[in-house]
Amino acid sequence: MKSRKLLMIPGPIEFEPKVLQALGAPTASHVAPNFIESFGNCIELMRKVWLTSTGQPFIVSGSGTFAMDMVAANLIEPNDHVLVISTGYFGERFAEISKRYGANVTILAAEIGDIVSLDDIEKALSIKKYKLITITHVDTSTGVLVDPKPIAELAKKYNTLSILDGVCSVAGEEIRQEAWGIDVVLTASQKAVGVPPGLALLVVSQKALGAFKNRKTPVCNYYADFNNWLPIMQAYENRQASYFGTPPVNLIAALEVSLRQIVAEGMENRFLRHQKIATAFREAMLALGLKLLPVYKNLSANTLTAVYFPKNITGSIFLSQVGKNDVILAGGLLPSHKTLYFRVGHMGSVNNNDILATIAAIESALFANKVSFEMGIGLKTALKILNK
Ligand SMILES: *Cc1c(COP(=O)(O)O)cnc(C)c1O
């Protein structure tokens, strides 16, 4: 019997074999011609995935939190006003990071499982001049999806920079950075981009770069400073050697493979695949009698789903039972609800078989817990949607 587990958490995800092979290839010099070519290709491919022709990509060692830190370090000066639209854990994190750089932070926090209304956002923007507004596209703690398009429009109307934390959405959820006018879209490699952890990835609009160039104070973070990285990104794109800090050569080789796969699938196809698999999974959970964290169906993310445990069972035991069926799921993340729910990632190279195996493992664990439900109803519900 093969001992292989299916990793269905909201990052790191299951990676494509070719991506992992690239990671294991001999490490090139960071100034070797083939590596320079690979880095340049990654920069060009990122624009295709982010759907922008004019944005400036940055590829830097670090996790998603560093991508957030990099944005705050470069775009915030002391006493700037920052508006954080929070739908959970990662909104709170953006507020904390912004404060470190001296921002006056206003948080508009949604109720758990809900979003902040556009009216409330506009009211806040009309009262005070904000330097930037941060949006969590998919908050990985709640599985809530925010529509960034109308918020970016409001930001433009009030001359505020819009920052999208897309760590759990880029290359999974629909994002059109240029058409929607979003100033920064940031992510990390290990989520829907499909590369092992270690890369902070962001694309910055020319407008945001202009705001950066108009800073009056130096950036208080040496490693994150755009002034250090911008010449490096431009050099690699021009296929020239350059050095500021040693790039993670193997991860960038793997990134090129994954970005090529994403572009080959096509962004529209990729958005639709995520929507279909997520719908199948959500409907399966509802058919099993389980409850979701998002308070309305249309607020549910397509990259992960947050589900309440059935009443009267111990969550940790339930998750270990699912694990014995060779499917690894994640527990809760919101401190106040941590033990009440679990999270299932379905992004990146996820396919129909993965989601069906996950539903089957959940059904088996429900059965082991003597929860009353109709065996197979989750699978049947999902199959109907997947076969449409
Ligand atoms: C995972 C995640 C982060 C943090 O990324 P790390 O790579 O863990 O630092 C930030 N925001 C969102 C929405 C995420 O899902």
Side-chain angles (χ1 to χ4, degrees):
M1 195 168 85
K2 268 189 180 171
S3 65
R4 59 188 162 85
K5 305 259 180 199
L6 187 59
L7 187 59
M8 295 294 284
I9 67 170
I13 62 164
E14 288 283 332
F15 301 119
E16 287 289 329
K18 284 195 174 131
V19 170
L20 295 174
Q21 279 161 23
L23 201 64
T27 304
S29 156
H30 62 289
V31 295
N34 62 340
F35 177 68
I36 294 171
E37 183 61 29
S38 189
F39 204 133
N41 290 340
C42 285
I43 289 177
E44 290 164 0
L45 287 160
M46 274 173 72
R47 290 202 190 89
K48 294 191 175 148
V49 173
W50 269 245
L51 294 173
T52 172
S53 59
T54 56
Q56 174 60 54
F58 289 86
I59 304 170
V60 181
S61 287
S63 78
T65 305
F66 177 67
M68 298 162 84
D69 200 38
M70 193 167 183
V71 170
N74 285 283
L75 296 182
I76 295 173
E77 291 187 76
N79 302 317
D80 278 345
H81 294 289
V82 170
L83 182 62
V84 171
I85 312 300
S86 175
T87 36
Y89 185 90
F90 289 105
E92 299 293 322
R93 178 168 290 186
F94 229 145
E96 284 308 305
I97 295 171
S98 301
K99 284 181 202 159
R100 289 294 173 95
Y101 293 101
N104 291 315
V105 176
T106 303
I107 305 182
L108 289 180
E111 298 287 325
I112 289 172
D114 207 344
I115 55 169
V116 177
S117 76
L118 286 176
D119 282 349
D120 286 350
I121 296 172
E122 177 145 28
K123 209 180 291 161
L125 287 172
S126 65
I127 292 171
K128 214 192 287 181
K129 172 81 181 94
Y130 288 96
K131 174 83 174 286
L132 50 94
I133 176 169
T134 76
I135 310 153
T136 315
H137 196 183
V138 171
D139 201 296
T140 320
S141 67
T142 55
V144 167
L145 173 69
V146 171
D147 182 0
K149 189 172 171 234
I151 305 177
E153 275 163 15
L154 283 178
K156 203 185 276 172
K157 178 172 167 190
Y158 290 93
N159 200 19
T160 298
L161 296 172
S162 51
I163 314 300
L164 189 66
D165 172 353
V167 180
C168 201
S169 65
V170 170
E173 301 283 355
E174 181 179 2
I175 305 176
R176 303 173 191 279
Q177 182 172 6
E178 195 160 280
W180 294 357
I182 308 173
D183 289 297
V184 180
V185 178
L186 65 92
T187 190
S189 50
Q190 77 275 16
K191 302 212 181 161
V193 169
V195 176
L199 292 175
L201 304 168
L202 41 150
V203 178
V204 180
S205 72
Q206 293 302 322
K207 184 174 155 201
L209 280 182
F212 163 72
K213 283 173 187 149
N214 287 333
R215 284 180 69 101
K216 308 220 162 31
T217 56
V219 172
C220 288
N221 181 327
Y222 182 71
Y223 183 66
D225 193 341
F226 282 169
N227 280 322
N228 289 326
W229 291 110
L230 197 53
I232 307 300
M233 299 304 135
Q234 289 165 342
Y236 277 114
E237 185 163 13
N238 293 326
R239 307 303 193 265
Q240 286 160 358
S242 193
Y243 169 75
F244 166 62
T246 307
V249 170
N250 295 56
L251 279 170
I252 289 171
L255 177 66
E256 185 187 4
V257 173
S258 193
L259 291 174
R260 282 194 189 288
Q261 289 178 346
I262 293 167
V263 169
E265 180 178 12
M267 297 316 294
E268 308 299 329
N269 292 340
R270 198 166 170 95
F271 301 149
L272 287 174
R273 175 168 56 83
H274 280 80
Q275 285 161 15
K276 193 168 200 179
I277 288 177
T279 305
F281 184 71
R282 269 195 305 272
E283 293 301 326
M285 293 302 104
L286 294 172
L288 291 171
L290 301 178
K291 234 184 109 206
L292 309 179
L293 254 77
V295 290
Y296 305 109
K297 265 191 204 173
N298 65 354
L299 301 182
S300 296
N302 297 298
T303 48
L304 91 146
T305 301
V307 190
Y308 285 106
F309 291 117
K311 289 204 171 62
N312 307 322
I313 70 160
T314 306
S316 54
I317 295 175
F318 179 81
L319 289 181
S320 72
Q321 285 163 336
V322 178
K324 284 204 187 93
N325 294 317
D326 294 326
V327 178
I328 312 297
L329 304 181
L333 184 59
L334 273 182
S336 62
H337 284 54
K338 217 173 161 55
T339 58
L340 302 181
Y341 72 106
F342 63 101
R343 296 173 303 145
V344 178
H346 33 74
M347 63 183 118
S349 62
V350 65
N351 65 22
N352 291 359
N353 294 341
D354 296 336
I355 210 68
L356 292 169
T358 304
I359 295 165
I362 290 171
E363 289 204 22
S364 296
L366 290 174
F367 180 73
N369 276 284
K370 303 190 167 61
V371 174
S372 105
F373 72 104
E374 184 191 331
M375 177 89 78
I377 191 70
L379 284 168
K380 190 171 157 186
T381 305
L383 275 168
K384 271 191 198 151
I385 293 165
L386 295 174
N387 286 316
K388 247 186 215 148

